[in-house]
Amino acid sequence: MNLEVIESDTIIKGLFNSERKMSEEIQPPEKEKQALKPVMSQVRNIGIMAHIDAGKTTISERILFYTGVNYKVGEVHRGNATMDWMVQEQERGITITSAATSCSWNKFKINLIDTPGHVDFTAEVERSLRVLDGAVAVFCSVGGVQPQSETVWRQAQKYRVPIIAFVNKMDRVGADFDHVVDEIKSKLGAAAIPIQIPIGSEEDFAGVIDVIKNKAYYFEGEHGIDVVEDEVPVEFLDVTQSAYNYIIECVAESDEKIMEYYLMNDKPSIGTLTNALRRCVISGSVVPVLCGSAFKNKGVQNLLDSVTDFLPSPIDIKEIQGWDVKSGKKITRTNGEGQPFSALAFKVMTDPYVGKLIFFRVYSGFLKTGMKIFNPRTRKTERIGRILKMHANSREEIQCVQSGDIAATVALKNITTGDTLCDINKQIILESMNFPDPVVSMAIEPKTVAERDKLYTALHNLSDEDPTFQTRVDTETGQTIISGMGELHLEILRDRLFREFKVSANCGAPEVAYRETITKVSEADGKFVRQTGGKGQYGHVIIRISPKGRGEGLTIENLVKGGNIPGEFIKPVENGLKEAAMTGVLAGYPVIDLHIDILDGSYHAVDSSEIAFRLAASIAFKEAVTKAGLVLLEPIMKLEIHSPEDNMGDVIGDVSSRRGYIIEVETVSNFAAIRANIPLSELFGYTTALRSLTRGRASNSMEPSHFELVPEAIRKKILES
């Protein structure tokens, strides 16, 4: 397309020089900086994020086709999508793991990550957004802002990732562009600005109008490869002008240059307005909204233009903040080869051919094969053997990566998601990422003794890949317990065990991860004394526990005075309290949301030891919580159901029968959006039941919400089991 490409040099000089100050001792040579600018300014690291079935992977496939990476169009429903390369993805028609690839568009390099839309795989979205500079949020023209849309939006806001929105499926029955824009404003609190207008909708959807350029675009030829520019149809002139005025008003609020034009009632040039809008997008003050139909090959090329026009390059982001490994003080890095090397490992994947793949984003400096890198977490140095450029599950070996690049390497030891990789002489720890705790568990055991080691190796590899997948051994039953984010999550992992790792195992029914907590304040005295003829064991701890608000976690404060418990034994006491809280008292579930004060104690000059104080603390904890009114909590899920109005009564009745309560019911285009809170224990197999209830017409999605008290009748059953 012969569309205007923004010259980033002009923008950078006026906007970001003040944010890229660095000390003289690490300032790269001027020639080197000038050499980097044109390359890095034309790089875009973006992610495609959305609710499940909004069309993320279809958009990614069209991008790969139009940029020339693929010679044919991959389709999700046919199971031949490049980005959905896993067997499980192809069978189910959903994205399970984030896939990375690179492509070129109008001299711009785009590093693209296609993320999952199902809440069970939200960790994939989290770690992708942590290393991306911009994102495309995809919305269904009928469904609008759906539950997972809100989740991924919050994740993007958390990492301050600039966003452009794309309203997909404009060809579907019930498509309503204006309604989706209104929902983005009301539900997400975003300053959504339509920079495109659809020409028609549903079966009459023909193309899009670029409001800024005041041109209409139609997509002809095989797979819509020919983009035809034309004048705006007469019937759309008024709405296009209104949309243009709205853009000017919104941008003027955040940009002084456009404010001058607005006050003088003057019209800025296309380039001036585009540059101003780009500045607003990067600052997060506005969200441009585009539209199209990826499946019908309409609007994707314009989306690519907007990615290069509005989303930031690596040099547009603020200085990268981290912490000095030795002093713990905040330090910064800026882009450029003249800077010390720093990168973040954001994904670990086991490849059957090359072993463990470590995906990383370079923030400063460069990395070449043969270089040594330092891992601050393990405090070990490793040599880089191979650097790989990834295209979904295929690999291309390269020799060097620079600031702003996303690549992978192999053969590094003890690297986990969130680890910093840096220069051994200029050590830094970059901000990592946090993941939600798993909520569903099941027991797993090998079918034969011979496969035991094979199973544990496979489970270890899977937990390395997925931070939300955890394994543990129940100390009381000896069972191996695996935990994940939902039924589908565990089903996929179990399937991978059988197919990829060739492990035969028996799995028990999923179990709910309950929690325990207290309802009142109590004190307890814990003493551990053992005398065996020689040196004995002595530890004595007095504690007070008090309840906290839901979700506030466990906190411990040392109030011991006068040295009744020596300082070297305080840490063992805290460890003993934490260990006791993890194993629980009432039913063996972790005790949460309480504060512990270590009040007093005593010690023996000869017999006291760390193990004695740890055990004394555990004894005190169990006695204290027993007196503090222990109760059981269960995880509550936020459920959204999209059902035909005809079935709404049956669906609501079913929700009530599952101990759920309705929060909101909204009717859109003869469909009811029912939002409810339901205990997780009542939702196993719910999707199948819902489809049966509505003859396959309803869909649902869920995400963890909070913990609530378990009713007495259910509590008795849980304790009995």
Side-chain angles (χ1 to χ4, degrees):
M1 296 176 64
N2 297 321
L3 299 182
E4 182 178 356
V5 177
I6 302 171
E7 293 296 336
S8 59
D9 222 24
T10 306
I11 304 168
I12 296 160
K13 287 179 182 177
L15 283 174
F16 308 110
N17 282 347
S18 61
E19 296 175 352
R20 303 182 63 233
K21 292 178 182 176
M22 56 186 94
S23 64
E24 292 297 327
E25 61 188 29
I26 57 174
Q27 183 94 5
E30 192 63 25
K31 286 184 179 178
E32 192 170 4
K33 287 197 296 181
Q34 294 300 326
L36 280 170
K37 272 189 179 180
V39 177
M40 291 180 59
S41 65
Q42 293 177 341
V43 173
R44 299 290 183 270
N45 293 314
I46 68 163
I48 310 289
M49 62 180 197
H51 185 86
I52 190 170
D53 202 33
K56 298 178 305 300
T57 303
T58 302
I59 290 173
S60 299
E61 293 300 318
R62 296 307 187 274
I63 288 175
L64 295 180
F65 176 73
Y66 294 132
T67 56
V69 174
N70 289 348
Y71 68 92
K72 64 178 182 179
V73 176
E75 298 289 6
V76 175
H77 64 278
R78 292 177 185 166
N80 64 352
T82 302
M83 304 299 272
D84 283 352
W85 56 270
M86 291 177 63
V87 176
Q88 292 83 359
E89 292 176 317
Q90 294 168 356
E91 289 178 347
R92 292 167 173 80
I94 62 171
T95 301
I96 294 169
T97 183
S98 55
T101 189
S102 297
C103 57
S104 298
W105 182 253
N106 289 345
K107 298 182 181 179
F108 285 80
K109 177 186 177 183
I110 299 175
N111 293 318
L112 173 70
I113 296 182
D114 177 30
T115 65
H118 198 287
V119 68
D120 282 17
F121 311 106
T122 189
E124 291 288 328
V125 185
E126 181 87 13
R127 59 185 175 187
S128 297
L129 287 171
R130 169 63 184 83
V131 298
L132 292 172
D133 300 326
V136 177
V138 182
F139 300 91
C140 174
S141 63
V142 180
V145 176
Q146 296 166 287
Q148 190 64 2
S149 307
E150 299 179 29
T151 302
V152 297
W153 194 276
R154 287 196 303 270
Q155 289 172 309
Q157 296 295 308
K158 174 182 175 182
Y159 295 114
R160 300 175 295 279
V161 177
I163 300 171
I164 60 176
F166 184 79
V167 180
N168 193 28
K169 302 187 178 183
M170 284 302 303
D171 60 303
R172 276 191 59 185
V173 175
D176 191 335
F177 178 74
D178 293 334
H179 176 72
V180 178
V181 173
D182 289 340
E183 283 203 334
I184 294 173
K185 293 177 183 177
S186 61
K187 291 187 177 181
L188 303 178
I193 304 177
I195 62 170
Q196 287 183 356
I197 296 171
I199 302 174
S201 64
E202 301 182 345
E203 62 180 14
D204 296 325
F205 178 61
V208 299
I209 295 171
D210 188 314
V211 177
I212 295 176
K213 294 183 174 67
N214 197 33
K215 294 290 183 182
Y217 292 92
Y218 303 92
F219 306 88
E220 300 177 356
E222 188 176 8
H223 303 301
I225 200 166
D226 298 321
V227 181
V228 179
E229 182 182 294
D230 202 351
E231 297 301 317
V232 175
V234 176
E235 63 270 27
F236 287 94
L237 287 175
D238 290 342
V239 69
T240 302
Q241 185 60 48
S242 297
Y244 181 84
N245 294 339
Y246 185 67
I247 293 174
I248 295 293
E249 290 173 12
C250 292
V251 175
E253 290 180 7
S254 305
D255 191 271
E256 291 183 5
K257 197 167 186 179
I258 300 301
M259 176 60 79
E260 292 176 9
Y261 283 97
Y262 179 69
L263 294 175
M264 295 175 65
N265 199 23
D266 198 2
K267 185 176 181 180
S269 67
I270 292 173
T272 300
L273 180 55
T274 303
N275 291 349
L277 183 55
R278 183 172 194 266
R279 291 193 289 268
C280 293
V281 172
I282 292 172
S283 69
S285 58
V286 301
V287 176
V289 185
L290 300 87
C291 61
S293 170
F295 184 65
K296 293 296 179 67
N297 311 300
K298 294 175 181 177
V300 178
Q301 294 98 320
N302 299 69
L303 174 62
L304 281 167
D305 289 333
S306 294
V307 165
T308 59
D309 284 353
F310 302 120
L311 291 181
S313 69
I315 58 175
D316 294 332
I317 61 174
K318 294 181 178 179
E319 292 177 330
I320 302 99
Q321 291 192 342
W323 292 266
D324 184 89
V325 174
K326 295 177 181 177
S327 68
K329 293 180 179 178
K330 272 195 175 183
I331 54 176
T332 59
R333 291 280 189 271
T334 50
N335 295 287
E337 290 188 6
Q339 291 287 303
F341 170 72
S342 66
L344 187 75
F346 68 94
K347 181 178 171 71
V348 178
M349 188 177 82
T350 303
D351 188 286
Y353 301 104
V354 298
K356 186 179 289 186
L357 278 169
I358 311 295
F359 288 75
F360 62 93
R361 157 73 188 268
V362 182
Y363 282 99
S364 64
F366 65 92
L367 182 67
K368 290 183 179 179
T369 54
M371 281 178 57
K372 287 185 177 180
I373 56 102
F374 179 73
N375 183 347
R377 182 182 61 84
T378 62
R379 298 190 176 275
K380 291 184 178 179
T381 304
E382 297 192 56
R383 186 181 296 275
I384 298 294
R386 299 168 64 193
I387 301 175
L388 304 172
K389 177 183 175 183
M390 299 301 297
H391 178 53
N393 64 328
S394 62
R395 303 164 298 278
E396 174 190 342
E397 195 157 339
I398 55 179
Q399 297 302 311
C400 179
V401 286
Q402 67 170 22
S403 298
D405 279 341
I406 293 175
T409 186
V410 295
L412 296 185
K413 298 177 182 177
N414 300 319
I415 300 288
T416 62
T417 299
D419 278 357
T420 299
L421 312 176
C422 64
D423 187 325
I424 190 169
N425 297 316
K426 296 282 186 177
Q427 298 174 10
I428 187 173
I429 298 176
L430 301 176
E431 180 187 359
S432 187
M433 54 204 97
N434 299 314
F435 300 101
D437 294 327
V439 293
V440 177
S441 302
M442 69 167 63
I444 189 169
E445 61 181 17
K447 286 188 175 180
T448 64
V449 176
E451 288 194 311
R452 180 173 297 169
D453 291 342
K454 200 174 173 183
L455 172 65
Y456 292 150
T457 301
L459 291 176
H460 177 72
N461 287 336
L462 289 174
S463 60
D464 276 352
E465 287 186 24
D466 189 346
T468 59
F469 174 64
Q470 297 178 7
T471 64
R472 63 180 176 87
V473 176
D474 191 301
T475 54
E476 294 185 7
T477 64
Q479 284 184 310
T480 299
I481 306 296
I482 59 175
S483 304
M485 297 305 297
E487 280 187 281
L488 180 61
H489 188 200
L490 291 182
E491 182 186 330
I492 296 295
L493 291 169
R494 184 174 57 184
D495 192 45
R496 290 186 62 193
L497 276 176
F498 300 155
R499 293 193 185 187
E500 292 178 31
F501 298 95
K502 313 297 183 188
V503 177
S504 298
N506 296 318
C507 296
E511 297 176 2
V512 177
Y514 292 97
R515 296 288 186 268
E516 300 175 18
T517 194
I518 60 173
T519 56
K520 57 187 178 182
V521 178
S522 73
E523 292 187 12
D525 194 320
K527 188 176 287 188
F528 181 79
V529 182
R530 289 289 184 274
Q531 195 67 43
T532 57
K535 180 183 176 181
Q537 297 283 354
Y538 182 89
H540 175 215
V541 179
I542 301 172
I543 64 170
R544 177 176 62 234
I545 63 173
S546 50
K548 295 178 69 177
R550 207 59 69 234
E552 293 183 12
L554 169 68
T555 54
I556 302 174
E557 186 175 359
N558 176 26
L559 300 179
V560 178
K561 296 180 181 178
N564 290 343
I565 300 178
E568 65 266 27
F569 295 135
I570 294 298
K571 195 68 177 176
V573 169
E574 292 178 351
N575 291 337
L577 294 171
K578 290 176 183 177
E579 289 169 7
M582 285 302 297
T583 55
V585 176
L586 188 63
Y589 297 107
V591 185
I592 62 171
D593 301 337
L594 72 158
H595 177 76
I596 307 174
D597 289 316
I598 306 172
L599 300 176
D600 204 354
S602 61
Y603 75 102
H604 190 280
V606 177
D607 292 348
S608 286
S609 64
E610 291 187 2
I611 185 69
F613 271 99
R614 197 166 80 237
L615 292 171
S618 178
I619 293 168
F621 179 85
K622 290 179 180 178
E623 183 181 337
V625 296
T626 302
K627 296 189 294 184
L630 265 178
V631 292
L632 206 59
L633 302 174
E634 62 180 342
I636 304 297
M637 304 298 285
K638 184 164 66 176
L639 180 71
E640 177 155 339
I641 309 158
H642 287 262
S643 167
E645 282 190 280
D646 298 346
N647 304 109
M648 189 170 67
D650 294 333
V651 171
I652 291 175
D654 185 59
V655 167
S656 300
S657 70
R658 295 173 183 269
R659 296 194 287 125
Y661 51 91
I662 304 298
I663 298 173
E664 182 184 16
V665 177
E666 183 181 0
T667 304
V668 180
S669 301
N670 297 323
F671 261 70
I674 304 166
R675 298 175 184 87
N677 282 346
I678 303 184
L680 176 62
S681 59
E682 303 289 341
L683 287 173
F684 294 126
Y686 179 71
T687 300
T688 303
L690 179 65
R691 287 173 181 168
S692 175
L693 198 65
T694 61
R695 298 181 182 179
R697 297 174 65 198
S699 63
N700 73 282
S701 59
M702 66 184 82
E703 61 179 283
S705 178
H706 59 283
F707 282 88
E708 285 185 5
L709 277 175
V710 176
E712 186 60 29
I714 306 296
R715 176 178 176 273
K716 287 181 180 178
K717 290 181 181 179
I718 294 171
L719 295 180
E720 287 172 3
S721 65

